[in-house]
Each structure stands twice: as structure tokens, then as C-alpha cells.
């Protein structure tokens, strides 16, 4: 049987962008934008104008608005975030899907997961852990993170047919 799983996916990109731009996330935001710019500048055949545009961006929103969105056929960051928001597709999911997220994730809000769960799609299991931060589902004495063990059990259930 086919299935899918996500862990801490930004299913509402606009809200995730707003969260990353909050003052409490300044250090991580600085690291993230510098890494994004470095990776693109190192990996793509770019015109001098594109290089200048990327170099002049200072926020994730600017990067998405001035580089990612236009490069991929979107009118800007808001159009990109709206059209690619995974939350809007949750009600139409037709295969067993496990979505794992932590309520205390500092970068990706949990509210979109709560709203997605309100659709009641029987194919979708949304697990919103109380804690775990951003991909920090680690436990003392366990070799594998909790989310990996959850996904493993989900896949095994799919294989036996006991989960669906």
C-alpha cells in the first residue's frame, strides 16, 4: 500500500515566514538567509542581475519575493505562499498520510495543523506533539528520534493493512 508522511512541514508558508521573521528568531533567520543565498549563488548559472538581486536580499520574504517566486512563475512571495500552501490540499488527500508536528516548534506554527485536522479526512492522521521543537523529537535512551519511530510504525501498519 502507498502512504506518505511529513514532519514539521510548513503547510502554511506565509505563517512560517512571519514566524521566522520574529525578533526571537533573528539569529536563526540570519543563518538561514545567508545559507540560502550562498547555496543559490554557488549552484546556479545566474546572470549578473540575478546575482545582484540575490545578494541584496536581507530576509527570507525578500528572497522568496525577488528570487524564488519569479524564477518559478509566481507573481511574488504572497502568490507563491498562497498557491503552494500544503494545508489547502489536506482535505483532498486520498492516500494514508501521517503528519507529525510539535506544538512548540519555534519556526513553523502549529495552528495550520490544528485547522487541517478539523477537516476530518479519514486518510490523514495529524499528530501534534506537545513538545519536540523543530525536528527535535529526541528522547534519552533512544537511538532514533520519536518521529522516525512513528513513521516506521505507520509504514509497518500500511504493509500489514492493520492501520487502514
Amino acid at each position: 500500500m502507498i502512504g506518505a508522511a511529513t514532519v514539521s512541514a510548513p503547510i502554511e508558508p506565509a505563517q512560517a515566514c512571519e514566524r521566522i521573521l520574529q525578533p526571537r528568531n533573528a539569529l536563526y533567520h540570519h543563518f538561514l538567509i545567508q545559507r540560502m543565498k550562498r547555496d543559490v549563488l554557488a549552484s546556479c548559472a545566474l546572470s549578473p542581475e540575478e546575482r545582484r538581486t540575490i545578494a541584496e536580499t536581507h530576509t527570507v520574504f525578500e528572497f522568496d519575493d525577488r528570487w524564488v517566486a519569479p524564477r518559478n512563475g509566481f507573481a511574488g512571495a504572497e502568490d507563491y505562499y498562497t498557491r503552494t500552501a500544503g494545508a489547502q490540499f489536506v482535505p483532498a488527500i486520498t492516500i494514508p498520510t501521517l503528519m507529525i508536528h510539535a506544538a512548540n516548534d519555534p519556526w513553523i506554527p502549529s495552528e495550520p495543523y490544528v485547522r487541517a485536522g478539523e477537516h476530518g479526512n479519514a486518510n490523514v492522521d495529524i499528530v501534534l506533539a506537545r513538545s519536540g521543537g523543530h525536528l527535535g523529537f529526541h528522547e534519552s535512551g533512544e537511538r532514533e528520534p520519536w518521529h522516525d519511530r512513528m513513521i516506521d510504525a505507520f509504514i509497518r501498519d500500511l504493509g500489514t493493512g492493520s492501520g487502514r
Side-chain angles (χ1 to χ4, degrees), residues 46-128:
L46 304 169
S47 71
E49 182 180 336
E50 289 171 317
R51 288 187 176 282
R52 193 170 32 262
T53 295
I54 293 165
E56 291 173 355
T57 61
H58 299 289
T59 68
V60 169
F61 182 85
E62 286 179 2
F63 186 85
D64 289 343
D65 195 52
R66 298 178 66 197
W67 166 251
V68 175
R71 181 79 169 200
N72 292 285
F74 298 96
E78 291 177 14
D79 180 42
Y80 169 56
Y81 296 157
T82 299
R83 291 173 46 199
T84 63
Q88 66 188 319
F89 302 109
V90 172
I93 292 175
T94 59
I95 62 169
T97 301
L98 174 64
M99 299 175 74
I100 301 171
H101 190 55
N104 71 339
D105 189 312
W107 303 317
I108 299 172
S110 60
E111 294 82 13
Y113 283 88
V114 172
R115 283 193 307 276
E118 292 171 354
H119 291 290
N121 184 337
N123 292 311
V124 179
D125 290 328
I126 297 176
V127 177
L128 187 60

Side-chain angles (χ1 to χ4, degrees), residues 28-55:
Y28 181 72
H29 178 259
H30 176 75
F31 166 79
L32 181 63
I33 189 64
Q34 294 306 316
R35 178 127 189 216
M36 290 165 57
K37 289 165 54 170
R38 183 189 74 215
D39 289 352
V40 171
L41 290 170
S43 66
C44 293
L46 304 169
S47 71
E49 182 180 336
E50 289 171 317
R51 288 187 176 282
R52 193 170 32 262
T53 295
I54 293 165

Side-chain angles (χ1 to χ4, degrees), residues 7-8 100-102 129 131-133 135-139 144-147 149:
V7 180
S8 299
I100 301 171
H101 190 55
S131 65
L135 300 175
F137 299 105
H138 303 281
E139 294 175 81
E144 293 182 12
W146 174 78
H147 66 276
R149 296 192 315 271

